[in-house]
Amino acid sequence: MATTAAAAAAAASPHLLSSASRSLSPFQVCVLDSKSLVSASSFHSGARKRTVGGGSGFRCTAVGTVPSAAETKKRSSYEIVTLTTWLLQQEQAGVIDAELTIVLSSISMACKQIASLVQRSGISNLTGVQGAVNVQGEDQKKLDVVSNEVFSNCLRSSGRTGIIASEEEDVPVAVEESYSGNYIVVFDPLDGSSNIDAAVSTGSIFGIYSPNDECLADIGDDPNLDTQEQRCVVSVCQPGSNLLAAGYCMYSSSVIFVVTIGKGVFAFNLDPMYGEFVLTQENIQIPKAGKIYSFNEGNYQMWDDKLKKYIDDLKDPGPSLKPYSARYIGSLVGDFHRTLLYGGIYGYPRDKKSKNGKLRLLYECAPMSFIVEQAGGKGSDGHGRVLDIQPTEIHQRVPLYIGSVEEVEKLEKYLA
């Protein structure tokens, strides 16, 4: 409409002036007449007229607007950064190499596939147990088996992994020589799988190491391990302090991929429109303290007295009448993600039934501890740093207390 009005005005008066002659916007057309100067906003809001000079003036019609610097900046904030773009930026900055970029990309692809399988598990008849028991003595869910195969295949096809170790496998597996690479990847393909049938959040956890020929694990001359498998065990058996990268993918109301490459913690949400992980949170920092604790209190009677005293004190409202809040999902990824964002402490202690705790050092405790430390938190076995623990076996279990620094240190004082 503005353009039409300008054309009509030009036809009605021979005194059409260029906008440059009056230092006006190049997107305004002005006509010299005896009428008032009409503000461009009057075309939209009926604003009052202003007279310029003694009665003669310019009637100006806005036919367009020049975007301001603020508007330009605002528009740029809508640009998306995908996980692939972010990884390439880290590679260009020299933080990671091209090999690690490919490994992390292959893991993200595995997570996308598993996310789809989880969402369709009820429709595709992937709920319930497989009928087998894994090396941990746990019943395997159907999705445990499928997710493990998906993860393994994506890592093999990347051509950059030399050894892969899964919670669902008896021993680490050396990738075929034709596809062999340098990196060692340890992973729990589907943490919290007992929640699948109830559609509660689950997740995948991973850690990436460089090869290491030195290990304190005493595997001896176990007749059940051939030479190649023994070499795998030695390479995988590293403390969490050697991790190059770690992360997890949570399958919940949204699919969230959280990763660290030793330079902070970043979160990416899977955009179903693009099928890409999009950067949503940068340099996540866990609060130094929090009022949420996440323990399976069903095991309370099997805990030692020091831990019982700690939990009892958390539930004591005290003069403030504000006790800690209890939140427990039963999925490490889900409970940890909430703790990472809101602060507090997550714990899975040893008890009379599980003398060394239940969570696996290589596949769960070490990667999560690496992530929380990068976010300014702390991971402990109750007495020391989880990342300093030297593994002595592949499926080693340890107690885990992880979360805000002040909360973990408070627990360590009770257990000392």
Side-chain angles (χ1 to χ4, degrees), residues 219-335:
I219 58 174
D221 296 321
D222 187 343
N224 296 321
L225 300 179
D226 59 26
T227 303
Q228 188 179 53
E229 287 173 335
Q230 289 187 34
R231 188 165 60 250
C232 289
V233 172
V234 170
S235 295
V236 173
C237 189
Q238 301 182 51
S241 56
N242 286 0
L243 279 165
L244 300 176
Y248 60 85
C249 189
M250 184 172 72
Y251 314 116
S252 186
S253 56
S254 58
V255 180
I256 303 175
F257 188 88
V258 177
V259 65
T260 177
I261 52 177
K263 298 290 184 180
V265 180
F266 298 78
F268 301 78
N269 280 51
L270 182 61
D271 188 332
M273 182 179 294
Y274 304 120
E276 293 281 354
F277 283 109
V278 177
L279 180 63
T280 51
Q281 292 174 286
E282 299 183 65
N283 294 310
I284 299 172
Q285 288 291 301
I286 186 172
K288 292 184 178 180
K291 301 289 288 185
I292 298 175
Y293 73 97
S294 183
F295 287 70
N296 182 2
E297 292 189 78
N299 296 327
Y300 179 88
Q301 295 299 332
M302 294 188 288
W303 294 341
D304 63 42
D305 292 338
K306 292 180 179 179
L307 184 59
K308 288 181 181 178
K309 179 66 167 60
Y310 167 76
I311 295 295
D312 290 341
D313 287 351
L314 292 185
K315 294 190 287 187
D316 184 357
S320 66
L321 299 180
K322 292 182 179 180
Y324 278 59
S325 298
R327 299 286 186 272
Y328 186 74
I329 298 172
S331 168
L332 173 59
V333 171
D335 283 313

Side-chain angles (χ1 to χ4, degrees), residues 11-277:
S13 173
H15 305 293
L16 182 64
L17 301 181
S18 69
S19 59
S21 66
R22 299 292 297 174
S23 300
L24 297 173
S25 166
F27 288 88
Q28 290 181 318
V29 175
C30 298
V31 180
L32 181 63
D33 62 8
S34 59
K35 296 183 180 180
S36 303
L37 176 66
V38 181
S39 171
S41 62
S42 65
F43 287 97
H44 302 286
S45 59
R48 65 180 181 274
K49 299 178 180 179
R50 296 186 291 116
T51 302
V52 178
S56 297
F58 295 89
R59 185 172 71 251
C60 297
T61 302
V63 297
T65 57
V66 178
S68 66
E71 290 175 328
T72 303
K73 185 175 182 181
K74 185 176 180 181
R75 285 200 188 110
S76 67
S77 68
Y78 288 98
E79 294 178 5
I80 62 173
V81 177
T82 66
L83 176 61
T84 302
T85 301
W86 183 81
L87 288 172
L88 291 174
Q89 289 173 348
Q90 304 309 307
E91 182 185 331
Q92 291 172 351
V95 179
I96 58 177
D97 60 20
E99 305 284 296
L100 188 54
T101 297
I102 294 173
V103 173
L104 286 167
S105 295
S106 68
I107 290 174
S108 71
M109 176 56 69
C111 291
K112 290 178 187 178
Q113 293 183 49
I114 295 172
S116 178
L117 290 168
V118 168
Q119 291 171 348
R120 293 181 52 81
S121 59
I123 300 171
S124 303
N125 192 30
L126 288 173
T127 56
V129 297
Q130 174 75 10
V133 176
N134 66 12
V135 68
Q136 317 293 325
E138 302 163 338
D139 290 330
Q140 286 182 312
K141 296 282 187 176
K142 292 178 182 177
L143 266 180
D144 280 326
V145 178
V146 176
S147 298
N148 184 66
E149 185 173 349
V150 168
F151 231 99
S152 298
N153 287 342
C154 283
L155 289 171
R156 284 192 176 98
S157 62
S158 73
R160 299 299 185 274
T161 49
I163 298 170
I164 55 178
S166 168
E167 180 184 319
E168 302 299 328
E169 302 283 354
D170 293 351
V171 294
V173 177
V175 177
E176 293 84 350
E177 188 174 342
S178 58
Y179 294 101
S180 182
N182 295 321
Y183 288 100
I184 296 168
V185 182
V186 296
F187 59 91
D188 180 351
L190 195 59
D191 172 76
S193 58
S194 60
N195 290 322
I196 291 172
D197 295 0
V200 177
S201 62
T202 55
S204 301
I205 307 170
F206 65 89
I208 304 174
Y209 293 91
S210 58
N212 180 21
D213 294 332
E214 298 179 2
C215 182
L216 300 178
D218 182 15
I219 58 174
D221 296 321
D222 187 343
N224 296 321
L225 300 179
D226 59 26
T227 303
Q228 188 179 53
E229 287 173 335
Q230 289 187 34
R231 188 165 60 250
C232 289
V233 172
V234 170
S235 295
V236 173
C237 189
Q238 301 182 51
S241 56
N242 286 0
L243 279 165
L244 300 176
Y248 60 85
C249 189
M250 184 172 72
Y251 314 116
S252 186
S253 56
S254 58
V255 180
I256 303 175
F257 188 88
V258 177
V259 65
T260 177
I261 52 177
K263 298 290 184 180
V265 180
F266 298 78
F268 301 78
N269 280 51
L270 182 61
D271 188 332
M273 182 179 294
Y274 304 120
E276 293 281 354
F277 283 109

